Amino acid sequence: MTLINPLAAANTLVPAAATINLRESRDQHLRRDQVVRATVAEGGLEKAVLQLGGRKFLVETETPLMTGQKLSLQIVESPEGVELRLLTFSLSDRVRQVLHLAGQSFDLLPLLEELAAPNHPLAGTLSPAARDALQGALLFFSGQTEGTEGRFLKSLARVLGLDLEQRLQQNPTAGHLANLKGAVLELLDRVQGQNNPTADRIRHLHQLIEATQIFRARLNEDGFLLLPLPFSFLDYGYLLAERHPSGNGDRSRSDGMLSLYLQLSSIGVLNINMLFDQRGLTLRIRTESRQSMEFLEGYRDELEQRLQPWRLSGLNFSSDATTPQQHLVNLLSGGRSPVFDTRV
């Protein structure tokens, strides 16, 4: 059980720490054992500021809290006054809460182009770090950033801020706004209470980033690495990496599977499964229609030639693709897509 001890109302801080008394609790319509939702207005390792209803409270906690984090709290009474019990949910519970966001597109580029404009009303209100993060994300997702494939994919998670909390835990003094999620957290504060398309898109982007972090944590339990691909040339897509024993009794090595699950306006659903083992690379391309499959098969010779540096050992086509959205939901729900042998 984790308890968060309120010290004082943040807008009336006093030198001596004080607890929230029962009268203040009644003013907030708080009841014993009631569960309420709060937002971390200012994060911290030992002290933080929570926004609860229309008021902010400075609290003392043994649990590190991050700015923008949503909390579920239960009201409990103690001899000192009111305490807030932090309710922890399992990862599966959190996945169920945001599962409806699986398969929704980030649609990043139009929003980034709008926010990065120097004459945008929000531009002058942001910190230099947030402005730099938005500009960096715009360059990255508009294809103006160079790099090898491996370095590019590693940079993708960092640019989006999918590792923000992990980096802050390792180094709390790090510049946490040097990524898109950090900038979005600052933007959320600027558009609080606003009801317009830009504010709605910022709030939706924040939801998608946090949902993706939860999905990544859940799939990591099953040995998968999820990486969203929020690029303008894709309607929706992600990369899924999986490592598994090689099956030859040698535990010192493992084979690897990389899969792309894509939705494109031109050819529809596309699944690309790449198996790397001692034989080299085996590639299976799956489409949702026979017409699309035959179209891609017309490029077989060119594909085989380009993939020879990876020791291509097999190239197969089929028309039994699974939509990226359905595949992701199946994995998050504990199910797995039918197993196939790419070497057939």
Side-chain angles (χ1 to χ4, degrees):
M1 179 178 69
T2 303
L3 293 180
I4 298 179
N5 300 313
L7 298 181
N11 55 356
T12 57
L13 294 181
V14 294
T19 60
I20 301 174
N21 59 39
L22 293 177
R23 180 184 61 79
E24 289 178 313
S25 301
R26 285 193 295 270
D27 290 343
Q28 291 293 314
H29 304 288
L30 301 179
R31 305 182 307 275
R32 183 174 178 269
D33 296 328
Q34 179 184 358
V35 176
V36 296
R37 294 282 289 171
T39 301
V40 181
E42 296 180 22
L45 298 178
E46 297 179 351
K47 295 181 181 180
V49 176
L50 299 185
Q51 173 130 14
L52 180 60
R55 298 188 64 185
K56 293 183 178 180
F57 296 99
L58 177 66
V59 299
E60 186 179 63
T61 174
E62 297 177 356
T63 303
L65 301 176
M66 302 295 180
T67 301
Q69 186 177 355
K70 306 295 183 181
L71 304 177
S72 292
L73 306 166
Q74 186 176 28
I75 310 302
V76 296
E77 295 180 12
S78 72
E80 291 76 22
V82 171
E83 290 182 331
L84 309 175
R85 177 184 298 160
L86 180 61
L87 300 179
T88 57
F89 296 91
S90 69
L91 196 51
S92 296
D93 291 332
R94 299 196 66 187
V95 168
R96 282 191 289 270
Q97 291 174 348
V98 296
L99 191 59
H100 64 285
L101 295 172
Q104 294 193 22
S105 172
F106 281 72
D107 196 21
L108 275 177
L109 203 53
L111 180 60
L112 290 174
E113 289 174 339
E114 176 187 344
L115 295 174
N119 59 346
H120 193 278
L122 290 172
T125 68
L126 297 177
S127 67
R131 290 197 299 270
D132 289 346
L134 290 175
Q135 186 64 37
L138 176 60
L139 294 174
F140 187 90
F141 290 106
S142 60
Q144 301 180 50
T145 302
E146 298 182 357
T148 62
E149 289 83 351
R151 184 175 300 175
F152 181 83
L153 292 175
K154 184 177 180 180
S155 298
L156 175 56
R158 178 153 294 189
V159 169
L160 286 172
L162 300 179
D163 60 348
L164 172 61
E165 286 77 11
Q166 180 182 2
R167 292 172 61 194
L168 280 175
Q169 188 175 19
Q170 294 171 348
N171 183 8
T173 62
H176 67 284
L177 290 177
N179 53 64
L180 185 59
K181 183 179 180 181
V184 168
L185 288 174
E186 188 171 321
L187 284 165
L188 283 176
D189 185 61
R190 301 295 185 272
V191 300
Q192 188 174 5
Q194 295 184 20
N195 186 17
N196 57 66
T198 299
D200 291 341
R201 289 161 69 193
I202 291 171
R203 284 187 281 265
H204 186 60
L205 176 57
H206 176 250
Q207 290 178 331
L208 289 179
I209 292 175
E210 291 215 324
T212 301
Q213 291 179 296
I214 294 172
F215 297 156
R216 280 164 57 91
R218 168 64 185 88
L219 294 180
N220 185 63
E221 293 182 339
D222 293 337
F224 293 98
L225 173 64
L226 173 71
L227 190 61
L229 302 174
F231 298 102
S232 57
F233 60 86
L234 293 174
D235 293 341
Y236 177 70
Y238 55 86
L239 179 145
L240 200 64
E242 178 185 9
R243 295 185 66 83
H244 51 84
S246 60
N248 59 7
D250 183 3
R251 296 187 179 181
S252 63
R253 66 173 304 276
S254 61
D255 299 335
M257 173 81 81
L258 287 178
S259 299
L260 291 170
Y261 290 86
L262 311 174
Q263 179 86 45
L264 301 96
S265 56
S266 55
I267 61 175
V269 175
L270 183 63
N271 304 161
I272 303 175
N273 306 111
M274 297 164 278
L275 175 65
F276 299 87
D277 60 14
Q278 68 276 10
R279 299 174 54 188
L281 167 65
T282 303
L283 184 67
R284 181 169 182 180
I285 300 176
R286 306 161 68 194
T287 65
E288 64 177 340
S289 70
R290 191 164 190 83
Q291 182 179 6
S292 296
M293 182 191 74
E294 292 173 350
F295 171 76
L296 292 176
E297 273 194 299
Y299 293 90
R300 175 188 287 271
D301 292 341
E302 182 179 344
L303 278 172
E304 289 179 339
Q305 182 177 359
R306 289 180 175 273
L307 293 172
Q308 280 310 315
W310 283 271
R311 294 194 302 125
L312 182 66
S313 62
L315 175 59
N316 303 287
F317 295 85
S318 67
S319 56
D320 57 346
T322 304
T323 64
Q325 297 86 345
Q326 186 59 55
H327 181 73
L328 180 58
V329 169
N330 288 344
L331 289 176
L332 292 170
S333 303
R336 297 179 66 120
S337 294
V339 177
F340 63 88
D341 188 344
T342 58
R343 289 163 286 198
V344 173

